[in-house]
Amino acid sequence: MNTTASRWVDFHCHLDLYPEHSALIKECDSEEIATFAVTTTPKAYPRNVEMAANSPFVMVGLGLHPQLVAERAGELRLFERYLDTTRFVGEIGLDAGSKYYSSFEEQQRVFARILRACDEQGGKILSIHSVRSVSKVLAQLEQHLRPGRATPVLHWFTGTRSEAKRAAAMGCYFSINAEMLRSPKSQPLIQSLPLERILTETDGPFVLVDKRPARPTDIRESVEMLAAAMGAPPGILAAQVLQNFRSVMAAEETGRP
Ligand code: MN
């Protein structure tokens, strides 16, 4: 991972869900976009690692998406087998939306087990989903991760301002995407986040830009929107995001927050 040369940060993108997976990796490399390529199942992980093996800008996360826990909980052992080969973990988390609520107990069991394994190994960077379950996610982080053992990044955070404050006090970062920035309702929340805890993400292909799936190269537009939301010049905001990204990577290397 070329942390120093990175110019942009896409801290949550599903590169393997695009037909043009390898072309996207090339774009990340040529545009120098540090990209956290999340996966949704442990089975998908080795292929992603292979695809990004020569990329200095793509970090592959080992994931078990909460929306897939109902059918994929059996891959947890595979997850645990791969875990010590990577510092990047995601997408993981909880989803209490109506479609996934029937697996919520099992999601909690899986998430707790993943967090305990991350705590045990130390130094992991986690990209976490928390739809309708922010307080449960934060409670689990508190319960299973000792301070400084991992760096949690809350992706597409939709909690309240007080939950954001609690998360920040626990050492969490927040990765912000275009969909959040387009929502007027999210503005006060985004503005309340500490600048030194903000990262950017596309969450492509789930987030759309101009009615097509977002790509890592769309991150520049998000940086501009985020700068406008924060009332900061885009160049300053972009530099801040890069600095935050480097802090996350450095914390990971020493195992300290
Ligand atoms: Mn995602």
Side-chain angles (χ1 to χ4, degrees), residues 81-157:
R81 202 190 305 158
Y82 293 139
L83 187 61
D84 67 0
T85 68
T86 184
R87 316 172 284 172
F88 305 103
V89 176
E91 181 165 0
I92 56 167
L94 298 176
D95 192 316
S98 55
K99 245 172 113 183
Y100 305 102
Y101 199 74
S102 59
S103 68
F104 198 64
E105 286 293 314
E106 179 132 55
Q107 288 178 42
Q108 287 183 279
R109 185 183 67 80
V110 165
F111 188 47
R113 207 160 129 183
I114 289 173
L115 293 177
R116 284 196 296 266
C118 289
D119 177 80
E120 174 89 23
Q121 294 184 13
K124 310 289 190 201
I125 300 169
L126 320 176
S127 185
I128 302 174
H129 177 108
S130 56
V131 168
R132 293 198 178 189
S133 54
V134 172
S135 65
K136 279 261 163 56
V137 163
L138 297 182
Q140 287 228 17
L141 294 177
E142 251 164 12
Q143 195 181 343
H144 302 298
L145 285 180
R146 287 166 289 167
R149 291 299 289 169
T151 305
V153 180
L154 300 172
H155 122 81
W156 202 331
F157 181 84

Side-chain angles (χ1 to χ4, degrees), residues 1 10 31 45-46 71 88 94 99 135 142 146 157 207 217-218 228 239-240 242 255:
M1 180 69 218
D10 182 353
E31 300 303 311
Y45 176 71
E71 29 335 342
F88 305 103
L94 298 176
K99 245 172 113 183
S135 65
E142 251 164 12
R146 287 166 289 167
F157 181 84
V207 166
T217 42
D218 292 314
Q240 178 75 52
L242 276 173

